[in-house]
Amino acid sequence: MVAGAAPYGKRGGAALAVKGARIAWIGGAAEAAAKAAANQVPVEDCRGLWMTPGLIDCHTHLVFGGNRVEEYEKRLCGVSYEEIARAGGGIRSTVEATRAAAADSLLASATLRATRLMSEGVTTIEVKSGYGLELAAERRMLEVARELSRRLPVSVRTTYLGLHALPLEHQASRAVFVEQASGAWLETLANAGLVDAVDAFCENIAFTLAETEQLLRAAQDLGLRAHVHAGQLTDMGAAELAAKYAALSADHLEYLSAGGAAALAASGTVAVLLPGAYFMLRQSNPPPVPLLRQAGAAMAVATDCNPGTSPCTSLLLALNMACTLFGLTPEEALAGATRHAARALGLEAELGTLEVGKRADFALYQIERPAELCYNLGANPCVGVVHAGEMRPGASYMPARCAPGSP
Ligand code: DI6
Ligand code: FE
């Protein structure tokens, strides 16, 4: 699939040349064969496979300690996410486990989760901090996220989620926490080169509009773009605030007004839909996709992989849920995990479509038509991945029916 007007940007009988880490040429298969023979360039025959841009998971909390399976059991017995959060559980229990975890163990568990995402064709992952809520632990989370990209053939974008929950030690000093998190900590982490963007959980159980704005303003002063967790449980006007600061994305958006959708479209802020959390919380009011469409807002889809509300390491499953639960078309969902996800990370010039000059990140699937990537529940049709021009080791590229020379 390449950028273009055909549905899915589909292009049949195509070939693509890679030079170094970049896509150097796209054209017809016959022409490619002739050029390759003339220049003695090795050729891989992918007959029958679909190629997409490498998938991008643009919203994850991939680095954390412990898990929250007991909380899941409680929720199934009728205790709500808000009740658990107000009783000191929820995010705060993961904060405790994350603070207690050594970098090695955080790296080991995050590697497992990243590998599962990658096996489906994901080549870029956004990773948020936010379970440290103190400088040292936030730094450790961000360092582990950076380390992931050094150890694995995947790109990582780090997001400093400075305002995720109020930690226990600051219950009586809320303003001090917000001040530190948006001030000294942000500056230190940004100066250490650990922050690609910032984020805040703007919600009645988390941080107010004014507190979120404090972080967004500080980020702006440092030249950093933002994401905002907006409208997951209530509409507090967080989408409008994200738009005011030209945030890269506003995420969740189950509670969003027509004005909010229009504001996102006008500022070019991507609406990131997170059906895994919606599903796990058994919510019943999907994001207003028709409003977003009408407004012309770009929609992305991500896993929101986190231990509390979305223990999901399958972006393809998130695509299925975006279609089944939110009413996206498979074409919209796939754009949401490629071109619009790239835009949600500010990387649209570099990633998200198969175009000459962009990074050679792509995935190969054994499917008959692209909608199958959304249709299958729990199957993984990915048979090969190329990241930055390199075939990912261990990928089961070239299944028997497509081996060179086979019919
Ligand atoms: N919204 C979410 O769904 C996650 N964070 C957030 O701001 C939940 C994180 C958690 O419950 O651990
Ligand atoms: Fe999240």
Side-chain angles (χ1 to χ4, degrees):
M1 288 186 269
V2 298
Y8 294 97
K10 172 184 168 179
R11 183 160 170 173
L16 174 154
V18 173
K19 190 166 183 193
R22 307 258 146 210
I23 298 173
W25 179 87
I26 296 175
E31 195 186 341
K35 278 179 186 277
N39 296 296
Q40 301 204 319
V41 173
V43 179
E44 302 278 1
D45 184 349
C46 305
R47 238 172 313 174
L49 295 176
W50 279 79
M51 178 186 287
T52 69
L55 302 185
I56 299 169
D57 193 352
C58 68
H59 180 142
T60 84
H61 308 249
L62 209 71
V63 176
F64 58 83
N67 69 41
R68 301 244 290 281
V69 64
E70 284 169 27
E71 177 185 317
Y72 174 60
E73 286 178 295
K74 276 191 195 145
R75 286 212 312 269
L76 289 174
C77 292
V79 188
S80 75
Y81 181 60
E82 285 96 330
E83 282 165 338
I84 289 169
R86 288 193 200 284
I91 294 178
R92 274 193 235 126
S93 75
T94 300
V95 170
E96 214 173 294
T98 305
R99 286 178 177 179
D104 277 1
S105 103
L106 291 176
L107 182 62
S109 62
T111 297
L112 184 64
R113 294 186 276 270
T115 307
R116 288 179 179 154
L117 289 173
M118 291 160 62
S119 72
E120 291 185 341
V122 170
T123 49
T124 299
I125 308 175
E126 185 260 12
V127 179
K128 300 178 195 295
S129 68
Y131 289 121
L133 305 180
E134 64 186 12
L135 181 57
E138 287 290 301
R139 183 201 297 268
R140 193 157 63 243
M141 288 186 74
L142 293 167
E143 284 171 350
V144 166
R146 285 266 191 259
E147 188 62 23
L148 276 179
S149 67
R150 286 191 281 267
R151 301 227 181 167
L152 298 172
V154 71
S155 300
V156 169
R157 296 295 282 182
T158 57
T159 299
Y160 169 63
L161 176 48
L163 301 181
H164 197 194
L166 192 63
L168 270 183
E169 66 274 18
H170 278 294
Q171 289 308 300
S173 50
R174 194 177 172 91
V176 174
F177 173 77
V178 175
E179 179 58 36
Q180 280 178 331
S182 318
W185 297 355
L186 169 60
E187 220 172 304
T188 303
L189 297 169
N191 287 340
L194 291 168
V195 180
D196 294 325
V198 306
D199 197 347
F201 187 17
C202 187
E203 192 51 70
N204 61 1
I205 58 165
F207 292 93
T208 65
L209 267 185
E211 291 163 341
T212 302
E213 184 157 17
Q214 199 174 328
L215 178 64
L216 298 190
R217 213 179 298 116
Q220 196 175 54
D221 290 346
L222 293 172
L224 291 168
R225 305 284 299 275
H227 308 279
V228 180
H229 281 70
Q232 181 181 14
L233 307 168
T234 50
D235 182 4
M236 309 210 312
E240 288 87 339
L241 180 68
K244 177 176 162 192
Y245 282 84
L248 288 167
S249 71
D251 305 43
H252 286 289
L253 302 173
E254 277 78 6
Y255 294 84
L256 175 72
S257 66
L264 294 178
S267 63
T269 300
V270 177
V272 177
L273 308 182
L274 305 169
Y278 173 90
F279 174 73
M280 280 292 281
L281 294 175
R282 298 202 281 183
Q283 287 180 273
S284 52
N285 55 309
V289 166
L291 278 184
L292 288 164
R293 274 192 199 119
Q294 210 172 10
M299 292 181 283
V301 179
T303 61
D304 193 14
C305 176
N306 78 72
T309 59
S310 190
C312 173
T313 48
S314 169
L315 186 53
L316 295 184
L317 181 59
L319 296 187
N320 174 282
M321 293 192 287
C323 297
T324 310
L325 300 173
F326 292 173
L328 261 62
T329 65
E331 186 173 1
E332 285 174 327
L334 281 168
T338 52
R339 66 205 309 175
H340 294 158
R343 199 165 139 206
L345 298 180
L347 298 174
E348 65 273 25
E350 175 81 358
L351 303 176
T353 54
L354 297 175
E355 285 179 80
V356 172
K358 285 197 174 182
R359 205 169 67 201
D361 284 4
F362 45 86
L364 294 159
Y365 297 100
Q366 191 148 25
I367 52 176
E368 302 297 327
R369 49 197 294 165
E372 254 179 82
L373 294 177
C374 303
Y375 162 77
N376 285 302
L377 266 181
N380 180 8
C382 181
V383 292
V385 182
V386 169
H387 171 254
E390 300 273 342
M391 187 91 69
R392 201 178 265 166
S396 59
Y397 182 62
M398 293 286 149
R401 75 167 202 170
C402 319
S406 73

